Amino acid sequence: MILLGIETSCDETAAAIVEDGIAVKSSIVASQMAQHAPYGGVVPELAAREHVRNIMPVVAAALVQGGVSVVDLDGIAVTCKPGLVPALLVGLSFAQGIAAAGSLPIVGVNHVLGHIYSCFMAEPELLDSERGFPILALVVSGGHTSLILIRADGTASVLGGTLDDAAGEAFDKAAKILDLGYPGGPVIERLAEKGDPHAIRFPRGLTGEGGKPMRAEDRFNFSFSGLKTSLLYRVRDRHRTPDTTADIAAGYQAAVVEVLVRKTMDAADAFEAPTVLACGGVACNGRLRSDLEQAAAAANRRVVIAPPAYCTDNAAMIAGIGYHYLEKGEIVDPHIGVGARLEDDVGELPFAPHARRRKTGRTDDPILS
Ligand code: KG4
Ligand code: ZN
Protein backbone atom coordinates (compact mmCIF):
# COMPACT_ATOMS: atom_id res chain seq x y z
CA MET A 1 0.00 0.00 0.00
CA ILE A 2 1.58 3.30 -1.10
CA LEU A 3 0.65 6.40 0.87
CA LEU A 4 1.30 10.09 0.44
CA GLY A 5 1.85 11.78 3.80
CA ILE A 6 1.36 15.52 4.32
CA GLU A 7 2.46 17.50 7.38
CA THR A 8 1.91 21.23 8.00
CA SER A 9 1.20 21.47 11.74
CA CYS A 10 3.95 23.95 12.58
CA ASP A 11 6.79 25.52 10.58
CA GLU A 12 7.76 22.65 8.29
CA THR A 13 5.95 21.92 5.04
CA ALA A 14 6.54 18.21 4.50
CA ALA A 15 5.42 15.44 2.16
CA ALA A 16 6.54 11.82 1.88
CA ILE A 17 5.82 8.62 0.00
CA VAL A 18 5.89 5.53 2.22
CA GLU A 19 5.08 1.94 1.33
CA ASP A 20 3.38 -0.38 3.82
CA GLY A 21 4.04 1.94 6.75
CA ILE A 22 7.78 1.33 6.71
CA ALA A 23 9.63 1.79 3.39
CA VAL A 24 10.32 5.49 2.85
CA LYS A 25 10.44 6.19 -0.89
CA SER A 26 10.83 9.94 -0.42
CA SER A 27 10.63 12.49 2.38
CA ILE A 28 10.75 16.19 1.54
CA VAL A 29 10.85 18.88 4.22
CA ALA A 30 10.79 22.62 3.51
CA SER A 31 11.73 24.45 6.69
CA GLN A 32 10.51 27.98 7.42
CA MET A 33 13.07 28.49 10.16
CA ALA A 34 14.63 31.53 8.45
CA GLN A 35 11.25 33.28 8.10
CA HIS A 36 10.42 32.86 11.81
CA ALA A 37 13.93 33.49 13.18
CA PRO A 38 13.55 37.30 13.43
CA TYR A 39 10.56 36.76 15.76
CA GLY A 40 12.29 34.20 18.04
CA GLY A 41 9.42 31.74 17.56
CA VAL A 42 6.84 30.51 15.07
CA VAL A 43 4.23 33.07 13.94
CA PRO A 44 1.05 31.09 13.02
CA GLU A 45 -0.19 33.49 10.33
CA LEU A 46 3.23 33.60 8.67
CA ALA A 47 3.51 29.80 8.87
CA ALA A 48 0.17 29.37 7.07
CA ARG A 49 1.25 31.71 4.26
CA GLU A 50 4.54 29.86 3.83
CA HIS A 51 2.71 26.50 3.73
CA VAL A 52 0.50 27.84 0.93
CA ARG A 53 3.62 28.83 -0.97
CA ASN A 54 5.46 25.54 -0.35
CA ILE A 55 2.85 22.81 -0.37
CA MET A 56 2.56 22.39 -4.13
CA PRO A 57 6.31 22.07 -4.91
CA VAL A 58 6.94 19.94 -1.81
CA VAL A 59 4.22 17.41 -2.69
CA ALA A 60 5.34 17.39 -6.34
CA ALA A 61 8.95 16.71 -5.27
CA ALA A 62 7.84 13.87 -2.96
CA LEU A 63 5.93 12.23 -5.83
CA VAL A 64 8.82 12.61 -8.29
CA GLN A 65 11.51 11.39 -5.86
CA GLY A 66 9.24 8.57 -4.74
CA GLY A 67 8.85 7.51 -8.38
CA VAL A 68 5.04 7.60 -8.26
CA SER A 69 2.18 9.73 -9.50
CA VAL A 70 -1.23 10.31 -7.94
CA VAL A 71 -2.74 7.34 -9.80
CA ASP A 72 -0.27 5.00 -8.05
CA LEU A 73 -1.34 6.08 -4.57
CA ASP A 74 -3.55 3.93 -2.34
CA GLY A 75 -4.35 6.73 0.08
CA ILE A 76 -3.36 9.94 1.80
CA ALA A 77 -2.46 10.53 5.43
CA VAL A 78 -2.49 14.10 6.70
CA THR A 79 -1.76 15.66 10.07
CA CYS A 80 -5.06 16.99 11.41
CA LYS A 81 -4.09 17.85 15.01
CA PRO A 82 -2.61 19.06 17.26
CA GLY A 83 -0.83 22.11 15.89
CA LEU A 84 -1.32 25.67 14.71
CA VAL A 85 -4.82 25.67 13.27
CA PRO A 86 -4.17 28.03 10.30
CA ALA A 87 -1.12 25.91 9.41
CA LEU A 88 -2.95 22.58 9.76
CA LEU A 89 -5.77 23.79 7.51
CA VAL A 90 -3.39 24.31 4.57
CA GLY A 91 -2.16 20.70 4.55
CA LEU A 92 -5.60 19.32 5.27
CA SER A 93 -7.32 21.26 2.48
CA PHE A 94 -4.59 20.33 0.02
CA ALA A 95 -4.82 16.65 0.99
CA GLN A 96 -8.59 16.69 0.61
CA GLY A 97 -8.22 18.24 -2.83
CA ILE A 98 -5.91 15.46 -4.04
CA ALA A 99 -8.09 12.81 -2.39
CA ALA A 100 -11.19 14.14 -4.16
CA ALA A 101 -9.44 14.41 -7.53
CA GLY A 102 -7.93 10.92 -7.29
CA SER A 103 -10.89 9.25 -5.47
CA LEU A 104 -8.47 8.24 -2.74
CA PRO A 105 -9.15 7.37 0.90
CA ILE A 106 -7.82 9.96 3.33
CA VAL A 107 -6.97 9.54 6.99
CA GLY A 108 -6.33 12.21 9.61
CA VAL A 109 -3.29 11.60 11.81
CA ASN A 110 -2.51 12.89 15.28
CA HIS A 111 0.88 14.61 14.96
CA VAL A 112 2.11 13.47 18.39
CA LEU A 113 1.29 9.82 17.66
CA GLY A 114 3.09 10.32 14.33
CA HIS A 115 6.21 11.42 16.23
CA ILE A 116 6.00 8.26 18.35
CA TYR A 117 5.63 6.14 15.22
CA SER A 118 8.98 7.53 13.98
CA CYS A 119 10.60 5.30 16.63
CA PHE A 120 8.78 2.28 15.15
CA MET A 121 10.17 3.19 11.72
CA ALA A 122 13.67 3.42 13.20
CA GLU A 123 13.29 0.09 15.01
CA PRO A 124 10.85 -1.98 12.92
CA GLU A 125 11.05 -5.04 15.17
CA LEU A 126 8.91 -3.06 17.64
CA LEU A 127 6.12 -3.77 15.11
CA ASP A 128 6.71 -7.50 15.08
CA SER A 129 5.54 -8.67 18.45
CA GLU A 130 3.65 -7.56 21.50
CA ARG A 131 6.70 -8.12 23.64
CA GLY A 132 8.11 -4.92 25.03
CA PHE A 133 4.66 -3.44 25.78
CA PRO A 134 3.42 -1.32 27.37
CA ILE A 135 5.67 1.32 25.88
CA LEU A 136 6.35 4.62 27.55
CA ALA A 137 6.93 7.42 25.03
CA LEU A 138 8.36 10.86 25.70
CA VAL A 139 7.43 13.37 22.98
CA VAL A 140 9.48 16.56 23.29
CA SER A 141 9.35 19.30 20.69
CA GLY A 142 8.81 23.01 20.30
CA GLY A 143 5.08 22.51 20.80
CA HIS A 144 4.78 19.38 22.94
CA THR A 145 6.14 17.77 26.06
CA SER A 146 4.08 14.68 26.71
CA LEU A 147 4.37 11.29 28.34
CA ILE A 148 2.23 8.75 26.52
CA LEU A 149 1.59 5.12 27.34
CA ILE A 150 1.06 2.74 24.41
CA ARG A 151 -0.53 -0.58 25.18
CA ALA A 152 -0.24 -3.83 23.27
CA ASP A 153 -3.88 -3.56 22.14
CA GLY A 154 -3.04 -0.46 20.08
CA THR A 155 -4.49 2.15 22.41
CA ALA A 156 -2.55 5.10 23.76
CA SER A 157 -3.17 7.37 26.75
CA VAL A 158 -1.70 10.74 27.62
CA LEU A 159 -0.24 10.41 31.14
CA GLY A 160 0.90 14.00 31.41
CA GLY A 161 2.11 17.06 29.61
CA THR A 162 3.40 20.53 30.16
CA LEU A 163 1.37 23.00 32.19
CA ASP A 164 3.05 25.95 30.48
CA ASP A 165 5.99 25.94 28.02
CA ALA A 166 7.07 22.91 26.01
CA ALA A 167 10.67 21.74 26.48
CA GLY A 168 11.70 23.02 23.05
CA GLU A 169 10.00 26.33 23.80
CA ALA A 170 12.02 26.51 27.04
CA PHE A 171 15.20 26.21 24.95
CA ASP A 172 13.94 28.72 22.38
CA LYS A 173 12.95 31.30 25.02
CA ALA A 174 16.27 30.89 26.85
CA ALA A 175 18.15 31.50 23.61
CA LYS A 176 16.06 34.62 23.06
CA ILE A 177 16.88 35.91 26.57
CA LEU A 178 20.58 35.18 25.98
CA ASP A 179 20.51 36.70 22.46
CA LEU A 180 21.63 33.48 20.82
CA GLY A 181 19.16 33.28 17.93
CA TYR A 182 16.48 30.76 16.91
CA PRO A 183 15.93 27.82 17.24
CA GLY A 184 17.39 27.74 20.73
CA GLY A 185 17.94 24.02 21.33
CA PRO A 186 20.91 23.48 19.03
CA VAL A 187 22.70 26.74 20.02
CA ILE A 188 22.26 26.09 23.72
CA GLU A 189 23.51 22.54 23.28
CA ARG A 190 26.64 23.77 21.46
CA LEU A 191 27.32 26.47 24.05
CA ALA A 192 26.69 24.05 26.94
CA GLU A 193 29.61 21.93 25.76
CA LYS A 194 31.94 24.75 26.83
CA GLY A 195 30.28 25.30 30.21
CA ASP A 196 30.06 23.61 33.60
CA PRO A 197 26.57 22.14 34.21
CA HIS A 198 27.11 22.31 37.99
CA ALA A 199 28.22 25.96 38.18
CA ILE A 200 24.68 27.35 38.31
CA ARG A 201 21.72 25.34 39.57
CA PHE A 202 18.42 26.11 37.89
CA PRO A 203 15.07 24.93 39.35
CA ARG A 204 13.63 21.55 38.36
CA GLY A 205 9.89 22.26 37.98
CA LEU A 206 7.25 19.89 39.42
CA THR A 207 9.76 17.53 40.98
CA GLY A 208 9.11 18.45 44.62
CA GLU A 209 12.63 19.92 44.73
CA GLY A 210 13.57 22.56 47.27
CA GLY A 211 10.74 21.59 49.61
CA LYS A 212 8.12 22.82 47.11
CA PRO A 213 5.17 20.43 47.46
CA MET A 214 4.02 18.75 44.24
CA ARG A 215 0.42 17.71 43.74
CA ALA A 216 -0.02 13.98 43.06
CA GLU A 217 -1.72 14.75 39.74
CA ASP A 218 1.40 16.60 38.57
CA ARG A 219 3.65 13.56 38.91
CA PHE A 220 3.79 13.13 35.12
CA ASN A 221 3.30 16.79 34.25
CA PHE A 222 5.98 19.32 33.42
CA SER A 223 6.48 23.02 34.03
CA PHE A 224 9.31 25.06 32.56
CA SER A 225 8.08 28.61 33.22
CA GLY A 226 9.85 28.86 36.62
CA LEU A 227 13.09 27.83 34.98
CA LYS A 228 12.70 30.52 32.34
CA THR A 229 11.95 33.20 34.97
CA SER A 230 14.95 32.11 36.98
CA LEU A 231 17.14 32.54 33.90
CA LEU A 232 15.63 35.96 33.25
CA TYR A 233 16.51 37.14 36.80
CA ARG A 234 20.01 35.66 36.55
CA VAL A 235 20.69 37.55 33.33
CA ARG A 236 19.09 40.77 34.57
CA ASP A 237 20.80 40.86 37.97
CA ARG A 238 24.35 39.77 37.24
CA HIS A 239 27.10 40.66 34.83
CA ARG A 240 27.82 38.04 32.16
CA THR A 241 31.06 37.02 30.50
CA PRO A 242 31.31 34.48 27.66
CA ASP A 243 32.34 31.91 30.31
CA THR A 244 29.34 32.53 32.54
CA THR A 245 27.05 32.41 29.48
CA ALA A 246 28.40 28.94 28.70
CA ASP A 247 27.85 27.90 32.35
CA ILE A 248 24.30 29.28 32.16
CA ALA A 249 23.62 27.26 28.98
CA ALA A 250 25.07 24.10 30.56
CA GLY A 251 23.13 24.55 33.80
CA TYR A 252 19.90 25.34 31.97
CA GLN A 253 20.22 22.34 29.65
CA ALA A 254 21.01 20.11 32.64
CA ALA A 255 17.82 21.26 34.40
CA VAL A 256 15.58 20.57 31.37
CA VAL A 257 17.19 17.20 30.63
CA GLU A 258 17.15 16.03 34.25
CA VAL A 259 13.41 16.68 34.62
CA LEU A 260 12.64 14.95 31.30
CA VAL A 261 14.70 11.86 32.17
CA ARG A 262 13.47 11.62 35.78
CA LYS A 263 9.78 11.87 34.89
CA THR A 264 10.12 9.49 31.94
CA MET A 265 11.82 6.83 34.04
CA ASP A 266 9.36 7.38 36.92
CA ALA A 267 6.43 6.80 34.52
CA ALA A 268 8.14 3.72 33.04
CA ASP A 269 8.45 2.35 36.60
CA ALA A 270 4.88 3.23 37.54
CA PHE A 271 3.41 1.50 34.47
CA GLU A 272 6.02 -1.28 34.34
CA ALA A 273 6.96 -0.37 30.78
CA PRO A 274 9.93 -2.45 29.56
CA THR A 275 10.43 -0.09 26.58
CA VAL A 276 11.01 3.64 26.59
CA LEU A 277 10.83 5.81 23.44
CA ALA A 278 11.89 9.41 22.87
CA CYS A 279 11.07 11.54 19.84
CA GLY A 280 10.41 15.10 18.68
CA GLY A 281 12.90 17.91 17.98
CA VAL A 282 14.32 18.09 21.51
CA ALA A 283 15.23 14.38 21.27
CA CYS A 284 18.06 15.57 18.94
CA ASN A 285 19.76 16.82 22.11
CA GLY A 286 22.91 14.80 22.77
CA ARG A 287 22.76 15.20 26.54
CA LEU A 288 19.13 14.03 26.65
CA ARG A 289 19.95 11.06 24.42
CA SER A 290 22.91 9.90 26.50
CA ASP A 291 21.29 10.51 29.91
CA LEU A 292 18.11 8.68 28.87
CA GLU A 293 20.13 5.78 27.48
CA GLN A 294 22.09 5.57 30.72
CA ALA A 295 19.02 5.76 32.95
CA ALA A 296 17.19 3.13 30.88
CA ALA A 297 20.17 0.79 30.95
CA ALA A 298 20.45 1.18 34.73
CA ALA A 299 16.74 0.32 35.07
CA ASN A 300 17.07 -2.61 32.66
CA ARG A 301 14.70 -1.08 30.11
CA ARG A 302 15.09 -0.93 26.39
CA VAL A 303 15.30 2.56 24.94
CA VAL A 304 14.64 3.65 21.35
CA ILE A 305 15.32 7.28 20.45
CA ALA A 306 14.27 8.43 16.99
CA PRO A 307 17.26 9.21 14.76
CA PRO A 308 17.82 13.00 14.52
CA ALA A 309 16.53 13.15 10.92
CA TYR A 310 13.17 11.77 12.12
CA CYS A 311 13.07 13.73 15.38
CA THR A 312 12.07 16.98 13.73
CA ASP A 313 8.79 17.34 11.84
CA ASN A 314 8.46 15.20 8.70
CA ALA A 315 5.71 13.53 6.71
CA ALA A 316 7.24 10.04 6.59
CA MET A 317 6.04 9.40 10.15
CA ILE A 318 2.55 10.61 9.16
CA ALA A 319 2.33 8.34 6.08
CA GLY A 320 3.86 5.56 8.21
CA ILE A 321 1.25 5.49 10.95
CA GLY A 322 -1.52 6.41 8.47
CA TYR A 323 -0.95 3.09 6.72
CA HIS A 324 -1.99 1.15 9.83
CA TYR A 325 -5.28 3.05 10.08
CA LEU A 326 -6.10 2.67 6.38
CA GLU A 327 -5.12 -0.98 6.37
CA LYS A 328 -7.57 -1.65 9.18
CA GLY A 329 -10.20 0.28 7.26
CA GLU A 330 -10.83 2.46 10.28
CA ILE A 331 -10.74 6.14 11.16
CA VAL A 332 -11.11 7.23 7.55
CA ASP A 333 -12.84 10.48 8.26
CA PRO A 334 -13.77 12.78 5.36
CA HIS A 335 -14.66 15.54 7.87
CA ILE A 336 -11.35 15.63 9.65
CA GLY A 337 -11.36 18.10 12.51
CA VAL A 338 -8.38 20.22 13.34
CA GLY A 339 -7.44 21.03 16.90
CA ALA A 340 -4.67 22.88 18.61
CA ARG A 341 -3.97 20.85 21.73
CA LEU A 342 -3.16 17.22 22.39
CA GLU A 343 -4.77 17.58 25.80
CA ASP A 344 -8.11 18.14 24.04
CA ASP A 345 -8.04 14.40 23.40
CA VAL A 346 -9.06 12.76 26.61
CA GLY A 347 -9.38 9.02 27.05
CA GLU A 348 -7.85 6.50 24.73
CA LEU A 349 -6.23 7.44 21.43
CA PRO A 350 -5.81 4.94 18.62
CA PHE A 351 -2.16 4.06 18.14
CA ALA A 352 -2.70 1.51 15.45
CA PRO A 353 0.18 -0.92 14.83
CA HIS A 354 -0.57 -3.48 17.50
CA ALA A 355 -4.30 -3.28 17.17
CA ARG A 356 -3.68 -4.63 13.69
CA ARG A 357 -1.66 -7.58 15.00
CA ARG A 358 -4.30 -8.47 17.52
CA LYS A 359 -7.12 -8.22 15.00
CA THR A 360 -5.56 -10.36 12.30
CA GLY A 361 -3.85 -12.69 14.78
CA ARG A 362 -0.78 -14.63 13.88
CA THR A 363 -0.76 -18.30 14.72
CA ASP A 364 3.02 -18.43 14.49
CA ASP A 365 3.33 -15.82 17.22
CA PRO A 366 3.77 -17.58 20.57
CA ILE A 367 2.26 -14.64 22.43
CA LEU A 368 -0.89 -14.47 20.31
CA SER A 369 -1.54 -18.17 19.81
O1 KG4 B 1 9.72 18.58 16.44
P1 KG4 B 1 10.12 19.95 16.05
O2 KG4 B 1 10.94 20.11 14.80
O3 KG4 B 1 8.91 20.88 15.82
C1 KG4 B 1 7.78 20.91 16.66
O4 KG4 B 1 6.86 20.07 16.44
O5 KG4 B 1 7.80 21.76 17.56
O6 KG4 B 1 10.91 20.59 17.28
C2 KG4 B 1 11.52 21.84 17.25
C3 KG4 B 1 12.06 22.15 18.64
C4 KG4 B 1 12.59 23.58 18.80
O7 KG4 B 1 12.03 24.14 19.96
C5 KG4 B 1 14.10 23.39 18.96
O8 KG4 B 1 14.70 24.37 19.79
C6 KG4 B 1 14.19 22.01 19.58
O9 KG4 B 1 13.16 21.27 18.95
N1 KG4 B 1 15.49 21.39 19.32
C7 KG4 B 1 16.37 21.08 20.29
C8 KG4 B 1 17.53 20.58 19.63
N2 KG4 B 1 17.28 20.57 18.29
C9 KG4 B 1 16.03 21.06 18.11
N3 KG4 B 1 16.30 21.21 21.61
C10 KG4 B 1 17.37 20.84 22.33
N4 KG4 B 1 18.52 20.37 21.78
C11 KG4 B 1 18.65 20.23 20.45
N5 KG4 B 1 19.78 19.76 19.92
ZN1 ZN C 1 6.43 17.93 15.86
Side-chain angles (χ1 to χ4, degrees):
M1 202 184 252
I2 297 176
L3 256 68
L4 165 67
I6 293 180
E7 154 65 44
T8 63
S9 68
C10 191
D11 62 341
E12 262 98 25
T13 316
I17 302 294
V18 178
E19 190 167 3
D20 293 342
I22 203 77
V24 181
K25 304 286 178 201
S26 65
S27 177
I28 309 287
V29 181
S31 172
Q32 309 172 0
M33 212 110 79
Q35 280 81 0
H36 298 284
Y39 306 95
V42 180
V43 184
E45 159 84 20
L46 190 58
R49 287 171 190 237
E50 288 300 310
H51 287 313
V52 170
R53 198 197 308 270
N54 294 336
I55 187 91
M56 192 90 165
V58 165
V59 169
L63 290 167
V64 169
Q65 275 195 27
V68 294
S69 55
V70 173
V71 290
D72 304 313
L73 298 175
D74 296 299
I76 299 178
V78 57
T79 304
C80 63
K81 62 182 174 181
L84 307 171
V85 172
L88 285 163
L89 285 168
V90 177
L92 185 54
S93 308
F94 195 84
Q96 282 177 324
I98 302 181
S103 300
L104 292 167
I106 177 170
V107 60
V109 169
N110 179 306
H111 178 80
V112 174
L113 298 185
H115 268 300
I116 296 174
Y117 187 76
S118 65
C119 294
F120 284 73
M121 294 177 93
E123 205 81 35
E125 74 265 31
L126 285 172
L127 290 165
D128 287 339
S129 89
E130 292 188 356
R131 265 167 289 215
F133 283 74
I135 289 176
L136 197 282
L138 169 72
V139 184
V140 264
S141 70
H144 315 285
T145 304
S146 309
L147 285 171
I148 295 172
L149 187 74
I150 299 160
R151 300 180 199 82
D153 67 358
T155 58
S157 300
V158 182
L159 303 179
T162 181
L163 302 184
D164 38 62
D165 295 340
E169 213 176 346
F171 278 112
D172 295 337
K173 287 183 175 170
K176 199 171 181 179
I177 292 169
L178 295 168
D179 271 330
L180 297 172
Y182 174 84
V187 259
I188 290 196
E189 180 174 9
R190 273 198 301 280
L191 195 58
E193 280 163 22
K194 297 185 211 135
D196 173 4
H198 306 291
I200 303 159
R201 186 169 174 88
F202 285 100
R204 274 72 170 151
L206 298 185
T207 57
E209 177 191 83
K212 273 195 196 154
M214 183 186 57
R215 298 179 310 166
E217 63 263 40
D218 285 332
R219 182 172 170 192
F220 304 128
N221 284 335
F222 299 88
S223 167
F224 295 106
S225 63
L227 171 66
K228 183 188 61 192
T229 308
S230 153
L231 170 69
L232 201 60
Y233 289 160
R234 179 75 178 60
V235 169
R236 191 193 61 185
D237 297 341
R238 288 201 233 166
H239 176 69
R240 268 195 297 138
T241 66
D243 280 351
T244 49
T245 305
D247 286 345
I248 287 172
Y252 192 91
Q253 175 179 265
V256 176
V257 167
E258 187 187 313
V259 173
L260 294 175
V261 173
R262 267 169 69 175
K263 296 219 172 211
T264 302
M265 296 314 296
D266 183 30
D269 283 348
F271 290 89
E272 296 179 3
T275 311
V276 170
L277 309 181
C279 53
V282 180
C284 290
N285 186 278
R287 171 88 195 248
L288 174 61
R289 296 178 86 90
S290 61
D291 285 8
L292 194 59
E293 273 161 8
Q294 248 180 37
N300 211 12
R301 300 188 197 284
R302 179 181 186 195
V303 64
V304 177
I305 306 177
Y310 280 178
C311 277
T312 45
D313 286 348
N314 65 84
M317 65 190 193
I318 304 302
I321 191 171
Y323 158 78
H324 295 274
Y325 299 136
L326 282 180
E327 204 230 3
K328 285 197 308 176
E330 287 174 11
I331 324 165
V332 181
D333 183 358
H335 308 289
I336 302 163
V338 291
R341 284 161 40 89
L342 177 68
E343 290 71 20
D344 294 343
D345 283 308
V346 285
E348 287 184 352
L349 305 176
F351 186 81
H354 283 265
R356 177 173 72 98
R357 292 273 178 239
R358 177 149 291 185
K359 205 170 169 191
T360 36
R362 281 200 338 194
T363 46
D364 58 338
D365 188 318
I367 292 182
L368 285 175
S369 56

